[in-house]
Amino acid sequence: PPGAGAIPAPGQSAPATFNPAMAARGPPAMGRGPPVPMAQGYPGAPAQPGMQAPPGQPGMAQPGMVGGPGYPGAPGQPGMAPPGMAPGMASGQPGPGGYAQRPAAPAQPAKPAPRIDPSQIPRMPRPPVGAAVPTWGSQALLGRVVDNKVGPPVACMPFRAIDEGNATPRFVRPTLHHCPASRDLLNQMKMPFGVHLQPMAAVAEGEEPIHEADLGPNGPVRCQRCKGYVNCFVKWLNDGSKWQCNLCDMVNDTPQTYYSSLDGNGYRHDSQNRPELSRGSVDFVGTKDYCVRPVQEPIVVFVVDTSAPAVSSGLTKATLDAIVDMADATIEAHQEAMTGGGGGAGGVVGGNGGATGGFPGGARARVGIVTFDRNVQFYRIREDTGEVCTVIMGDIEDPFAPIPPQHFLLRADGLTEKAVKVKAQLQKAAEDGVYVDPATVDPAANEQIDVEKFRGQLEQLSQHVMVHAAKVQEAAAAAPNSLAGTVGCSIAALVAAADGLSEVGGRVELVTAGAPLIGIGRLRPRERTTDYGGEREAELYRPLSTQAKGKEEQDVAAWYTKFADDCALRQIGVDVYVAPVQRSSLSMSTATTPNGSNPMDRGGGHDSMPNAWIDMATLGLIPKATGGKAIMLDGGVDAAGALTKVVIDKLENELRLSMVTDRKTVASETVTKVRCSTGLRCAEYHGPGVQRSVGELEIAAMHPFTNVLCILKHDSALKNDERVYVQAATLYSSLDGRRMVRVHNLCMLAATGLPELFRLADLDAVFTANVKLHLPRLLKEPLTTVRDAFTELCADALYNYRVSCAKTSPAGQLILPESLKLMPLYTLGLLKSVGMRPNSPDSGRGGGGGPDPRADERAAHLAILEDMTVSASYRLLHPRMYDLEKISTDAHPRAFTPLDDSEIHFAIPLPLPCSAEHLSNTSAFLLDGGSHLLLQVGKDAPPDLLDEVLAQSHADPTKPQELSEGSDLGGKVACMLKEMRHDLPFYAPLQIYISGGNGPEERRLLSLLIEDKTKHEISYVDYLCAVHRRIQQKMA
């Protein structure tokens, strides 16, 4: 590792002890190049010792790394104790704090064992505490490596991007910041080449929003051949009367209404006043030609579970309360907009992608509630009496909407249907220039917007639903051996809601307490404990397939695929939230449905687990096709059968995050097309949505974190330093009722040298691309095969760098390019994640505490990994741990203070290495696992620390724990939590527990310590050795 020196290969003499001076000098045969700023480092980060350049390749970092098989300390070889562990300590022996340490081979007394200092192995460089957020200009993409080109900003750290005429990495992030000049050159790198497109991403603090360009009734200026949009990279000819497309080289006539003369440098005089000619990203206002139907209104329908388990657990009430809270936020936003205090979008500007909290569209929103148990219920409020009417749809095998959308959708503006029609007629008359006599106008036109009325209607509807839910619960209690009120037809309700929106589109938020057991789309429980750890486990976390053995499973799989495609065609986005509720009051073996059948009889068996089975993989097919999300609200129930505070907190915040109200970051009815300049083409899209036309991706609903990987391929070779262009255009409907085209323009330089390409590889983008490309292989290939494929991808990239850029390096060194030095760490983090972690062969028989993870948990996490943004990759794959006791007594003076020029970001302390050797039963530790936040309080923690963290002097492990809100340390932890949750596409709940109980939270924390050896995985040091062995095998 950097600073650890070059450990020789077999047959060479080894240094007896670790010598930093020797490590800094490096091997005698290696030349020493000038120091180079770290491409993956933070601006201003100190250079690591031992970084040297191969002969003839100045500027390429080449740290000496651990040697190949046979070196002292390799796995299975005596002579070296793992980091942080004394030689001779046996596996499983308790170390500091009582935690088991990583195993060590017996030491050889005849030969002193050199140690690998764990502080020197490659880790993410961290900025100094309180360092200002760096600024990065997008024109840096056009610099050359020989001119000390600045590398891309680190995706996982805050940065401020300036649009200087080239799209910033906030919206378009290439995997390689130089384009390989040929297909052969790219094949030598063994890395994916493409761009990560995040069209509706929220701009960071201090960045300017995307500007709008309204070019009048003729719409945007486009190329006649390739249909590309005019941008700041086109060439203007004949004093501005013609322009040459930068994508296809076609020379087009400039419209008269768009003409401007040129200056002496060939630029238009008005270029700085036109955002499309001065910015890399722009919003064009579309015309009627861009609409095939009326622009979609901001419609949201909540489909809520009112079955007995959902009611008794508190899921129904929590969902309805969250809906009413959104109405309150909408009222606040509308009042701010009316008084000039807000932008009219509604909501609260948060750290998770723009304004959230209210309903999208503000006063323009239309909201409906549909409930289900064994039937589906629609609700309508009569305009004349204000009475709530329930319309029951009982045909759950062929569901439909029993009433039209204008009857079950409430208007946030509080206007009656008559007033809406009259106002629309008057508006059309004004547009057509027709005079209307005020005396003939219907009085309904005088109605004013009343958001308070809308809020009252929602609360009235919520109370009515709870009355209905109470009756369902009573019926279930009266017949304990019947499934009449204990199962739900969630998919039938979803189909009915989608049928109601088939003509107008919109969004559907499905909240359910379990899998659909009756009605259309019912899912048969197919989870058996004995399947875990064996070949059949893969079938549990895969969605149902049309290639399944059973005819019924094939039909169900085909139905889900078709329904998802129908929702996408109707422009209906679907989000699914599932909170598994244990139906402990029901004996599933004797339960029957109203028609006398037992849905558990099919595929059940004595070892099946119908209560816990959800089939997240199959349910996730619908959100994936429509641009939505599938969230598993794991956290369990308490002794009384109620959902824990963790689950309720996650549900409320996930619903709030899905209600993005910033019109710049949310879109519907979207169509995306990527165009490239001559020599390149966009060959594949990997992400949500469906493709109905060649080269076009349709996504029904987009949010700030919707991202697509666009794979680029060569059609012809390019010249060195030739400019390469990529233009991504997204046609969408905005929340304010307009048809818009968001265009992102990217320009890069082509390169013919492998050293340049490797140096400017973006690790976060490359690794995220690998995940999106290879994770779907789990649908057809075993988990072990896919896991090995990711290690092979890591070894291939490092091997190709070595043979192409560091041929003269000693064979006993693991050579890591500066840009890819953390690739083994990212890969190991992926392999140890919930989605990729294997179960032991005996887990199905209760070995090792049973299966961990379960199939639904794995499927939900795989969906998160497949949809993750580039900025979230490191945070999801590499946990960060903090010692709260040290924070309370020895924090950095700049910690917990606002960063310079920032009002939302705070400085937080530096994390500890992710190893159990830092844990202690006398302290408290906060671990940020990306999707999980765990706070472990030591069982022997002193009373003053308990008081600071939990506001109690004695912690009872059997009771739920809550963070102290009034203490100084509690405030610091709350500040850290806010920073950790910033800019994540999901809500990470905080789970607090007392150590020593070996509960699920403690086991989860230990599994997230990725630098340690676990029962299924090797340590980080051993993984580096394993990767090195693969590279040596390839070289041999």
Side-chain angles (χ1 to χ4, degrees):
I7 301 179
Q12 298 179 353
S13 60
T17 57
F18 172 69
N19 189 337
M22 180 184 297
R25 288 199 300 268
M30 296 173 60
R32 188 171 179 85
V36 178
M38 296 189 299
Q40 280 293 328
Y42 201 88
Q48 305 235 3
M51 300 291 183
Q52 299 182 356
Q57 301 286 348
M60 298 301 297
Q62 178 181 266
M65 285 301 299
V66 291
Y71 73 90
Q77 301 290 333
M80 183 175 180
M85 183 173 176
M89 181 179 289
S91 173
Q93 289 182 346
Y99 289 92
Q101 302 300 298
R102 291 171 284 180
Q108 282 187 345
K111 186 176 182 180
R115 291 171 56 89
I116 295 181
D117 187 352
S119 65
Q120 296 298 319
I121 57 180
R123 292 191 180 93
M124 173 65 72
R126 309 300 300 185
V129 177
V133 177
T135 300
W136 190 85
S138 62
Q139 284 295 331
L141 284 170
L142 302 181
R144 300 183 304 168
V145 172
V146 295
D147 298 329
N148 292 324
K149 173 180 177 177
V150 178
V154 182
C156 64
M157 296 182 184
F159 66 91
R160 187 169 293 126
I162 302 176
D163 188 341
E164 299 173 334
N166 210 359
T168 71
R170 195 79 62 192
F171 303 102
V172 185
R173 195 174 189 107
T175 57
L176 307 174
H177 283 247
H178 263 9
C179 172
S182 66
R183 184 182 308 154
D184 293 338
L185 201 62
L186 180 60
N187 291 338
Q188 292 182 50
M189 299 185 69
K190 296 291 184 182
M191 286 194 291
F193 176 52
V195 294
H196 292 274
L197 178 62
Q198 199 170 338
M200 310 306 294
V203 296
E205 180 187 27
E207 297 178 356
E208 62 179 12
I210 292 183
H211 295 269
E212 292 184 3
D214 189 350
L215 303 188
N218 295 326
V221 177
R222 304 179 65 179
C223 175
Q224 297 300 312
R225 178 191 293 167
C226 69
K227 301 302 179 183
Y229 293 83
V230 67
N231 57 82
C232 51
F233 297 111
V234 303
K235 294 181 180 178
W236 297 96
L237 309 172
N238 293 359
D239 195 30
S241 62
K242 294 183 180 294
W243 61 279
Q244 184 177 23
C245 177
N246 59 310
L247 301 174
C248 67
D249 296 331
M250 170 80 172
V251 176
N252 301 270
D253 292 327
T254 304
Q256 259 191 338
T257 56
Y258 196 69
Y259 172 78
S260 173
S261 59
L262 308 181
D263 60 16
N265 296 319
Y267 294 103
R268 289 170 55 118
H269 284 104
D270 64 346
S271 59
Q272 292 303 312
N273 298 325
R274 290 190 175 273
E276 72 274 18
L277 301 181
S278 58
R279 299 291 186 272
S281 299
V282 64
D283 264 334
F284 286 105
V285 178
T287 62
K288 293 182 179 180
D289 296 336
Y290 289 81
C291 303
V292 295
R293 68 177 187 180
V295 177
Q296 185 180 114
E297 294 182 90
I299 296 174
V300 183
V301 176
F302 294 91
V303 180
V304 185
D305 194 341
T306 54
S307 63
V311 177
S312 60
S313 66
L315 178 65
T316 304
K317 187 177 187 306
T319 305
L320 296 174
D321 288 346
I323 295 173
V324 175
D325 289 343
M326 294 176 198
D328 290 333
T330 303
I331 293 175
E332 294 178 7
H334 178 70
Q335 291 174 347
E336 290 181 1
M338 296 302 293
T339 58
V348 178
V349 177
N352 290 66
T356 60
F359 292 112
R364 297 187 67 251
R366 303 186 68 182
V367 182
I369 296 179
V370 175
T371 62
F372 66 90
D373 36 74
R374 68 179 184 272
N375 295 314
V376 181
Q377 299 85 31
F378 283 70
Y379 301 93
R380 174 190 179 187
I381 298 181
R382 295 175 60 95
E383 290 186 354
D384 51 354
T385 64
E387 179 186 3
V388 178
C389 301
T390 303
V391 183
I392 298 178
M393 196 283 298
D395 189 356
I396 59 176
E397 295 296 337
D398 187 15
F400 59 93
I403 53 179
Q406 62 266 26
H407 287 172
F408 67 86
L409 293 177
L410 301 177
R411 300 186 62 90
D413 54 20
L415 299 177
T416 62
E417 289 298 324
K418 185 177 182 181
V420 173
K421 291 181 180 179
V422 173
K423 289 177 180 290
Q425 293 172 357
L426 292 176
Q427 182 177 359
K428 187 176 187 306
E431 292 175 354
D432 297 340
V434 178
Y435 173 76
V436 178
D437 187 357
T440 63
V441 176
D442 193 293
N446 298 323
E447 286 189 22
Q448 300 297 318
I449 293 178
D450 188 358
V451 187
E452 293 279 359
K453 174 185 175 183
F454 164 68
R455 196 265 185 202
Q457 290 176 329
L458 269 183
E459 188 167 8
Q460 179 187 7
L461 188 56
S462 173
Q463 294 172 355
H464 185 85
V465 170
M466 288 305 300
V467 172
H468 164 76
K471 295 178 180 179
V472 174
Q473 191 175 16
E474 292 175 3
N481 292 329
S482 173
L483 283 176
T486 57
V487 294
C489 55
S490 55
I491 297 301
L494 177 61
V495 174
D499 180 65
L501 302 180
S502 59
E503 299 296 328
V504 295
R507 293 176 53 187
V508 179
E509 308 290 312
L510 171 62
V511 183
T512 177
L517 299 179
I518 57 175
I520 191 72
R522 56 183 168 271
L523 296 172
R524 172 184 300 177
R526 52 192 175 99
E527 182 186 33
R528 298 171 181 265
T529 53
T530 53
D531 290 342
Y532 283 98
E535 294 181 358
R536 289 178 55 85
E537 181 183 351
E539 300 300 324
L540 302 181
Y541 57 79
R542 293 172 180 169
L544 289 175
S545 170
T546 54
Q547 306 300 319
K549 296 180 180 179
K551 177 67 167 58
E552 184 177 353
E553 289 186 349
Q554 294 178 9
D555 293 342
V556 173
W559 183 89
Y560 269 91
T561 302
K562 182 180 183 303
F563 176 67
D565 191 66
D566 288 344
C567 286
L569 178 63
R570 298 172 181 178
Q571 303 299 330
I572 300 173
V574 179
D575 295 328
V576 177
Y577 309 88
V578 187
V581 177
Q582 186 75 16
R583 300 177 175 92
S584 57
S585 62
L586 178 67
S587 173
M588 303 301 291
S589 61
T590 60
T592 58
T593 58
N595 61 11
S597 63
N598 183 354
M600 299 302 106
D601 287 342
R602 302 170 298 171
H606 68 280
D607 58 352
S608 64
M609 297 168 288
N611 294 343
W613 178 247
I614 302 174
D615 204 346
M616 287 296 298
T618 302
L619 291 177
L621 293 175
I622 304 172
K624 184 175 181 180
T626 62
K629 57 184 179 181
I631 301 295
M632 182 176 174
L633 305 169
D634 51 344
V637 295
D638 57 21
L643 291 174
T644 61
K645 186 178 182 299
V646 172
V647 179
I648 299 298
D649 186 43
K650 184 172 177 62
L651 170 64
E652 293 175 347
N653 283 279
E654 287 289 356
L655 287 173
R656 180 181 59 83
L657 289 177
S658 66
M659 299 292 107
V660 180
T661 58
D662 183 359
R663 64 183 179 86
K664 291 287 187 180
T665 60
V666 64
S668 58
E669 302 179 297
T670 72
V671 180
T672 298
K673 185 175 181 64
V674 175
R675 300 176 175 89
C676 303
S677 57
T678 305
L680 284 181
R681 60 184 170 88
C682 178
E684 304 169 13
Y685 294 106
H686 296 269
V690 296
Q691 293 188 57
R692 305 184 193 281
S693 303
V694 178
E696 295 183 354
L697 180 66
E698 298 179 18
I699 304 177
M702 274 191 179
H703 52 80
F705 302 101
T706 301
N707 66 99
V708 178
L709 170 64
C710 310
I711 294 297
L712 306 181
K713 293 190 176 181
H714 290 80
D715 286 332
S716 59
L718 305 169
K719 299 178 181 178
N720 192 45
D721 287 342
E722 179 181 349
R723 287 196 171 192
V724 178
Y725 303 98
V726 178
Q727 184 179 89
T730 300
L731 175 65
Y732 70 98
S733 297
S734 65
L735 289 178
D736 55 4
R738 294 184 297 172
R739 202 68 171 147
M740 309 285 288
V741 183
R742 177 161 296 186
V743 178
H744 300 291
N745 298 282
L746 179 71
C747 179
M748 299 180 291
L749 295 182
T752 56
L754 284 173
E756 303 171 65
L757 295 172
F758 271 107
R759 178 178 174 183
L760 292 177
D762 189 331
L763 174 62
D764 295 270
V766 168
F767 195 82
T768 304
N770 279 335
V771 170
K772 292 180 182 295
L773 290 172
H774 296 278
L775 212 57
R777 293 171 57 180
L778 286 171
L779 298 178
K780 297 181 179 180
E781 300 180 34
L783 178 64
T784 53
T785 302
V786 180
R787 284 169 51 84
D788 185 73
F790 277 104
T791 299
E792 190 68 13
L793 289 169
C794 176
D796 275 342
L798 299 180
Y799 164 75
N800 282 281
Y801 168 76
R802 185 186 184 102
V803 298
S804 302
C805 306
K807 296 180 180 179
T808 59
S809 300
Q813 287 184 304
L814 173 60
I815 306 299
L816 298 178
E818 188 61 32
S819 61
L820 302 179
K821 70 177 182 179
L822 294 180
M823 181 172 275
L825 180 62
Y826 276 58
T827 307
L828 181 62
L830 175 66
L831 300 183
K832 290 189 174 184
S833 68
V834 175
M836 296 291 290
R837 189 170 68 231
N839 276 308
S840 59
D842 62 342
S843 60
R845 299 185 296 275
D852 180 28
R854 304 195 80 89
D856 283 320
E857 188 180 9
R858 187 190 299 277
H861 196 78
L862 287 174
I864 292 176
L865 291 175
E866 198 170 345
D867 292 339
M868 69 179 177
T869 61
V870 177
S871 60
S873 59
Y874 177 80
R875 301 165 70 178
L876 281 169
L877 300 176
H878 188 279
R880 291 148 302 283
M881 186 169 65
Y882 303 85
D883 187 340
L884 298 186
E885 185 178 30
K886 292 183 178 179
I887 289 176
S888 63
T889 59
D890 191 25
H892 193 279
R894 280 298 311 272
F896 309 108
T897 61
L899 297 181
D900 296 340
D901 300 326
S902 176
E903 296 181 359
I904 62 174
H905 285 293
F906 287 79
I908 62 175
L910 298 179
L912 299 170
C914 233
S915 173
E917 65 185 71
H918 298 283
L919 293 177
S920 168
N921 283 324
T922 60
S923 184
F925 296 88
L926 176 63
L927 187 133
D928 176 12
S931 59
H932 295 81
L933 295 172
L934 300 172
L935 200 163
Q936 173 178 293
V937 181
K939 61 180 180 179
D940 300 325
D944 56 343
L945 181 61
L946 291 175
D947 185 63
E948 283 284 309
V949 178
L950 305 178
Q952 50 186 298
S953 58
H954 173 72
D956 186 355
T958 63
K959 295 182 179 179
Q961 309 295 330
E962 293 189 12
L963 182 66
S964 172
E965 297 182 354
S967 65
D968 178 66
L969 182 57
K972 292 179 178 178
V973 173
C975 177
M976 295 174 68
L977 295 177
K978 182 180 178 182
E979 196 68 25
M980 291 171 180
R981 290 167 176 158
H982 178 79
D983 202 30
L984 282 179
F986 46 78
Y987 179 80
L990 175 65
Q991 295 176 280
I992 306 176
Y993 66 95
I994 308 299
S995 68
N998 196 30
E1001 296 88 358
E1002 188 167 7
R1003 292 197 299 269
R1004 172 59 54 84
L1005 181 138
L1006 293 176
S1007 70
L1008 292 174
L1009 303 179
I1010 65 171
E1011 295 192 14
D1012 288 346
K1013 176 180 173 61
T1014 64
K1015 62 180 180 180
H1016 303 311
E1017 301 291 346
I1018 59 178
S1019 66
Y1020 181 26
V1021 172
D1022 291 342
Y1023 187 74
L1024 286 172
C1025 301
V1027 171
H1028 189 206
R1029 283 196 296 273
R1030 293 207 182 201
I1031 295 174
Q1032 288 189 315
Q1033 291 170 3
K1034 294 176 182 293
M1035 296 178 65

